[in-house]
DNA sequence: CTGACTGCAAACCCTTTGCAGACCG
DNA sequence: CGGTCTGCAAAGGGTTTGCAGTCAG
């Protein structure tokens, strides 16, 4: 399973260009780690990427994989799925509802919408398995963060490694 | 911010009934932990619930909070947000896309849909902050899990504490 | 050559678990 | 009273970091 050669080539160029621009070095490890994740149609975790890369570079270390993955994330070449490294969050709302999530602080708010409860799901999804529920996640910058950010950098300059925010949300 | 007294009362009754039916004891700690999460409009993590409960029961321990939260989850009185305690997963797909997620094994697949890219978001969401993107998450039981489960219990009897599945997805 | 990068191992944080005493029913 | 449940402390597992040697530019 790998993406077409042409597409892949374009992504590699993007990668090189991004590295150059960001002034980061283009190492063998980084190239292979990028290849591994870019060719994956799944959403691997670090360990999985690690195993894949290790097949070609037996000496890579898991930490390098982590470092590189976050680097790629910082360069905007990949993203993360769901909340970045956070603790599990519990939800007392049992109604069918949707979420607004702040991309910066992780604030999560519920909202309801009858329209969104009955979305038309493409037939192609059926091949993955049964459909039990659908849920919309709206991402944006919450009011509080917008205020804070207004007087500073507009892009997240530094990726928040651990605990990017207050888990409880606003309050 | 707390839910109305009447609503809250109903939820407490539900809680008591569920405990009785499940044969679990109704302890002071559990009651307070339930009160804490049920009255929260946020989606607190265990630590946050812990802090709230500790204000009323100074001797509670964080582990009891964890145990109780998972118990409530098992009883169907609360749910968790996003993937349960898993490692961070990286996504090389930068296009606007949506996800199919298996509730059992955590398999995550991408799918695209022009219709879903342009959902009408309720105006009420605006009050939370800016809207940058919307993303639909379809939950269901993937084909592989459905096959496995076919010959056994239909409900998840035991909550998978750690690493509920293979992070890489199918393959 | 030189600063950035890697690998190693130890540190960290969140979460879970074993055990003895406390408590619900 | 008996079986659960709690609190404590220690183990676990994923992720990050400090350091010295290595490599890209």
């Amino acid at each position: 399973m790998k993406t077409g050669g042409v597409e892949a080539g374009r992504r590699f160029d993007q990668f090189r260009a991004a590295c150059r621009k960001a002034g980061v070095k283009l190492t063998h490890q980084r190239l292979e780690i990028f290849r591994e994740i870019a060719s994956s149609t799944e959403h691997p975790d670090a360990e999985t990427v690690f195993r894949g890369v290790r097949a070609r570079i037996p000496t890579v270390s898991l930490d390098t994989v982590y470092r590189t993955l976050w680097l790629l994330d910082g360069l905007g070449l990949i993203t993360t799925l769901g909340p970045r490294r956070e603790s599990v969050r519990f939800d007392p709302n049992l109604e069918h509802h949707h979420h607004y999530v702040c991309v910066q602080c992780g604030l999560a708010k519920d909202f309801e919408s009858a329209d969104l409860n009955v979305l038309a799901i493409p037939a192609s999804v059926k091949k993955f398995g049964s459909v039990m529920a659908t849920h919309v996640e709206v991402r944006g910058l919450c009011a509080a963060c917008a205020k804070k950010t207004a007087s500073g950098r507009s892009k997240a300059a530094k990726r928040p490694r651990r605990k990017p925010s207050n888990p409880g949300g606003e309050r």
Side-chain angles (χ1 to χ4, degrees), chain A residues 22-93:
Chain A
V24 300
K25 297 189 172 174
L26 201 62
T27 65
H28 185 199
Q29 289 87 332
R30 284 180 178 167
L31 217 37
E32 289 301 330
I33 291 169
F34 179 73
R35 182 202 308 288
E36 186 66 27
I37 180 126
S39 73
S40 148
T41 62
E42 308 293 335
H43 304 88
D45 61 1
E47 182 82 30
T48 305
V49 173
F50 173 55
R51 276 197 294 270
V53 172
R54 196 169 45 177
R56 274 168 280 142
I57 312 181
T59 58
V60 275
S61 62
L62 181 56
D63 6 300
T64 296
V65 172
Y66 272 109
R67 279 188 282 228
T68 303
L69 253 16
W70 286 120
L71 173 75
L72 295 175
D73 176 68
L75 294 178
L77 296 170
I78 63 174
T79 30
T80 55
L81 211 57
R84 3 195 110 190
R85 187 58 184 172
E86 229 181 52
S87 30
V88 186
R89 289 165 67 153
F90 298 85
D91 188 346
N93 186 349

Side-chain angles (χ1 to χ4, degrees), chain A residues 62-163:
Chain A
L62 181 56
D63 6 300
T64 296
V65 172
Y66 272 109
R67 279 188 282 228
T68 303
L69 253 16
W70 286 120
L71 173 75
L72 295 175
D73 176 68
L75 294 178
L77 296 170
I78 63 174
T79 30
T80 55
L81 211 57
R84 3 195 110 190
R85 187 58 184 172
E86 229 181 52
S87 30
V88 186
R89 289 165 67 153
F90 298 85
D91 188 346
N93 186 349
L94 298 174
E95 305 303 313
H96 190 168
H97 64 284
H98 309 279
H99 287 122
Y100 174 86
V101 177
C102 174
V103 295
Q104 186 149 116
C105 73
L107 163 79
K109 292 291 232 171
D110 294 350
F111 69 89
E112 277 160 53
S113 160
D115 292 344
L116 296 183
N117 287 351
V118 292
L119 295 176
I121 302 304
S124 60
V125 172
K126 288 269 179 56
K127 70 171 183 286
F128 297 139
S130 71
V131 172
M132 291 164 54
T134 69
H135 157 259
V136 176
E137 188 179 293
V138 175
R139 281 185 266 230
L141 198 61
C142 77
C145 285
K147 201 178 299 179
K148 275 181 240 157
T149 312
S151 57
R153 70 255 187 267
S154 51
K155 268 201 115 62
K158 239 56 192 171
R159 73 212 124 103
R161 295 291 196 116
R162 257 317 159 103
K163 295 231 93 186

